[in-house]
Amino acid sequence: MKKGGGVMKAVWIALLYVCLFGLSIYVYSTQLNGPDADLHQRLLPVEIKTVKAGTSKNELKEIVLDAGKDGDVLSIAGMQHSQGGQTMYPNGIMIDMKPYNQIIEVDEDAKTVTVQSGARWADIQEAINPYGLSLKVSQSQNIFTVGGSLSVNAHGLDIRNGGLSDTVLSMRLMNADGEILQLSTSENSELFSAVLGGYGLFGIILDVTLQLTDDELYETQTASMPYSAYPSYFKQQVQNDPDAKMHLARISIAPDSFMEDMYAITYKSAKDQNLLPEHQKLKTENLVAVPKFFLGLSRINDAGKDNFWKAQKTYTKQINGNLVSRNNVMRSDSEFMEYDNSRKTEILQEYFVPVDQFEDYIPALKTVLEANPDFNLLNVTIRYVEQNDNAVLSYAKEDMFSLVLLINQGTDAESIQATQDVVRQMIDVTLAHNGSYYLPYFGYPTKAQMKEAYPRTEEFFDLKDRFDPEHRFMNLFYEEYRP
């Protein structure tokens, strides 16, 4: 029994990475080493001309100016996790920003950090952790580049500091003429709001200065409830509690409790902050095989989904009261999420719905999903997003719950069409509840749906044409959704 108990303990430890961090990731794209560029999900093959990179602004300027002379189109890529074609353009030159990744300055007194745009969030955390500083906002995975995250206007688990764009003090942009422009809310502000969530269409983000906050020790608090009780629980136990700093929830996709049962995880300021040094060492992910196995079972059948949900629910009870640093809550890798299947792939969808609409929205979404039993939904993670309109293409027109859906689908034409049909139905339901959807993912939504979700769509494309009249910076997102 002791030996078996040890095995189960290892399983539960591994499940922590699934339950807390792993299922709200952005699906991988392949590294591009030649002219044949094919997204890892194998839904959008694109042939590009070449890949170029630079480690200095002068090298990047040379790439931009040479493209102008030769009439080449440029697209910009970080970790290449955007699924909707935002990082490539047919027969274009892709600029790989990953080598442009220096941490320029950590200002301990001002609590700021200045970084080149190819730096990953993991790099920043390693630089600021020794100072007892932490990011105000970042995605729940730390593998993305700063420039990429800003270009998709990302958000995270923090419920007190707005969106990622709210933490940007300033940034520098290289335009199609090789000029370097300073952008902030007070300097070139119109362009600033277009570049945030601008999908690389306005130029190259060179470097960014971010406002930081103090690292802090959190106590983990968990709860289970039916979906109908979640909005009031969130308002009373999370939003109205000043000690609650970070939060996420999940709703069941298991057949026995489909879109009914939920659990929530909240990180609250621990009473004894003197214990923080004991928890400040930055963690690394391990025990990849076990969560990968459990997720694999969930892909296969209903029994796998039921067992996976029960395991998650059991574990949330076990982690209640655990202590963790802010930096470690925001630090998770996603190696176990890698998925390789010759006939299937995985995509994400993300929908935003006003907090007060949530209770009516879930049954409507459930109706769509139940009418499409072959739609293989693997996970729904829920976060909170404050109202934010500092980007032209802002998705949070009021305080919203964000629902991130992980979907397993086939890569053949029939499967792609079937997924598109369901996605468009889900978006229609979301729009009917005064919601919106996240733009970086595969181009299943229609132009009309984008215009309804993003009323400033035409303004965005007009700004693109004004600030880059030669269309030097291009991607497939522009081709798909321009008016």
Side-chain angles (χ1 to χ4, degrees):
M1 289 296 293
K2 289 184 178 179
K3 183 177 180 180
V7 172
M8 286 307 298
K9 183 177 180 181
V11 170
W12 290 125
I13 291 172
L15 276 171
L16 170 62
Y17 297 99
V18 177
C19 295
L20 297 188
F21 305 113
L23 291 170
S24 53
I25 59 101
Y26 294 92
V27 177
Y28 283 88
S29 303
T30 52
Q31 299 298 320
L32 305 176
N33 296 311
D36 294 322
D38 184 0
L39 284 181
H40 185 65
Q41 65 265 31
R42 297 180 299 280
L43 298 180
L44 193 66
V46 178
E47 183 173 316
I48 63 174
K49 184 174 183 179
T50 190
V51 178
K52 294 185 178 181
T55 59
S56 70
K57 63 178 183 295
N58 288 334
E59 291 175 352
L60 292 171
K61 182 176 181 179
E62 183 177 356
I63 294 171
V64 171
L65 294 181
D66 285 347
K69 293 175 185 175
D70 299 335
D72 285 324
V73 170
L74 299 169
S75 58
I76 305 170
M79 294 300 292
Q80 302 165 36
H81 286 60
S82 294
Q83 301 175 41
Q86 294 91 344
T87 58
M88 57 188 65
Y89 193 77
N91 200 37
I93 295 173
M94 178 179 289
I95 303 178
D96 179 4
M97 294 299 295
K98 291 190 294 296
Y100 192 75
N101 59 13
Q102 296 301 302
I103 307 296
I104 298 172
E105 181 186 25
V106 178
D107 189 326
E108 185 177 6
D109 295 331
K111 296 182 182 178
T112 63
V113 62
T114 302
V115 302
Q116 293 179 339
S117 62
R120 299 174 306 135
W121 296 105
D123 302 327
I124 299 177
Q125 288 178 318
E126 290 166 4
I128 65 178
N129 192 60
Y131 296 93
L133 296 173
S134 178
L135 296 162
K136 279 192 168 185
V137 179
S138 75
Q139 292 157 274
S140 56
Q141 307 294 318
N142 60 14
I143 58 176
F144 311 113
T145 64
V146 173
S149 294
L150 292 178
S151 294
V152 299
N153 194 17
H155 61 94
L157 302 179
D158 186 279
I159 64 170
R160 301 299 178 191
N161 291 298
L164 176 59
S165 58
D166 291 307
T167 72
V168 178
L169 297 178
S170 64
M171 57 184 168
R172 293 195 304 163
L173 181 83
M174 180 177 291
N175 67 16
D177 296 321
E179 297 174 337
I180 298 176
L181 305 175
Q182 188 80 20
L183 309 184
S184 68
T185 55
S186 60
E187 193 170 2
N188 293 309
S189 58
E190 189 176 33
L191 187 54
F192 179 72
S193 65
V195 171
L196 294 171
Y199 301 97
L201 288 170
F202 295 87
I204 302 172
I205 298 175
L206 292 176
D207 47 62
V208 182
T209 298
L210 300 165
Q211 185 67 61
L212 303 175
T213 188
D214 293 321
D215 196 11
E216 189 178 10
L217 185 64
Y218 293 150
E219 181 177 343
T220 307
Q221 294 190 6
T222 66
S224 296
M225 69 209 72
Y227 80 88
S228 57
Y230 178 65
S232 60
Y233 168 83
F234 177 81
K235 290 178 182 179
Q236 295 169 16
Q237 303 297 322
V238 181
Q239 192 174 29
N240 291 337
D241 184 349
D243 287 334
K245 301 300 177 63
M246 308 184 83
H247 176 82
L248 68 100
R250 289 203 171 91
I251 191 166
S252 173
I253 52 88
D256 288 350
S257 54
F258 185 68
M259 302 298 284
E260 296 285 343
D261 196 12
M262 288 187 64
Y263 69 80
I265 302 172
T266 306
Y267 300 94
K268 297 189 176 184
S269 299
K271 290 182 173 57
D272 188 357
Q273 290 295 318
N274 292 323
L275 298 176
L276 176 61
E278 300 175 22
H279 299 270
Q280 278 189 300
K281 183 179 179 181
L282 295 178
K283 70 176 184 63
T284 57
E285 188 174 24
N286 52 20
L287 295 172
V288 171
V290 177
K292 192 168 186 175
F293 170 76
F294 272 88
L295 183 57
L297 289 181
S298 184
R299 292 183 179 109
I300 295 171
N301 55 36
D302 287 349
K305 289 178 170 63
D306 274 326
N307 289 329
F308 193 31
W309 180 250
K310 290 173 184 176
Q312 292 183 61
K313 288 289 296 294
T314 300
Y315 195 75
T316 58
K317 297 177 182 178
Q318 297 190 5
I319 64 171
N320 193 54
N322 283 5
L323 298 177
V324 59
S325 73
R326 178 184 178 89
N327 278 335
N328 277 323
V329 173
M330 303 171 87
R331 184 177 181 82
S332 178
D333 210 339
S334 49
E335 181 183 345
F336 76 90
M337 291 294 298
E338 293 183 3
Y339 177 62
D340 187 16
N341 187 304
S342 61
R343 294 178 297 174
K344 290 184 177 294
T345 189
E346 286 173 357
I347 66 165
L348 290 177
Q349 286 287 293
E350 183 168 3
Y351 305 131
F352 304 91
V353 64
V355 171
D356 291 336
Q357 291 273 354
F358 182 85
E359 191 172 348
D360 292 331
Y361 173 69
I362 293 299
L365 187 63
K366 180 181 178 180
T367 299
V368 172
L369 294 169
E370 287 183 331
N372 295 274
D374 293 332
F375 189 74
N376 194 7
L377 180 62
L378 299 180
N379 180 74
V380 181
T381 297
I382 298 169
R383 303 176 193 160
Y384 170 71
V385 182
E386 278 189 326
Q387 187 274 338
N388 184 305
D389 60 2
N390 57 11
V392 177
L393 294 181
S394 289
Y395 41 76
K397 43 196 163 187
E398 55 184 291
D399 292 350
M400 304 276 219
F401 285 133
S402 148
L403 290 83
V404 183
L405 284 66
L406 177 64
I407 301 154
N408 183 278
Q409 70 161 87
T411 56
D412 58 283
E414 184 178 352
S415 297
I416 292 172
Q417 182 63 50
T419 300
Q420 176 177 279
D421 292 343
V422 179
V423 166
R424 289 181 176 180
Q425 292 173 49
M426 292 193 294
I427 291 176
D428 281 341
V429 166
T430 304
L431 294 173
H433 287 81
N434 201 33
S436 59
Y437 68 92
Y438 200 30
L439 289 172
Y441 302 135
F442 192 73
Y444 286 135
T446 66
K447 285 184 178 181
Q449 286 176 326
M450 179 181 175
K451 188 172 182 179
E452 185 173 351
Y454 293 88
R456 298 175 69 185
T457 293
E458 290 188 14
E459 177 187 348
F460 175 82
F461 287 109
D462 286 345
L463 289 168
K464 160 66 179 174
D465 295 340
R466 176 149 62 92
F467 285 109
D468 183 20
E470 300 297 321
H471 289 185
R472 186 67 53 218
F473 297 97
M474 289 288 286
N475 55 38
L476 290 176
F477 168 76
Y478 179 90
E479 287 292 321
E480 182 73 23
Y481 290 107
R482 65 179 177 178

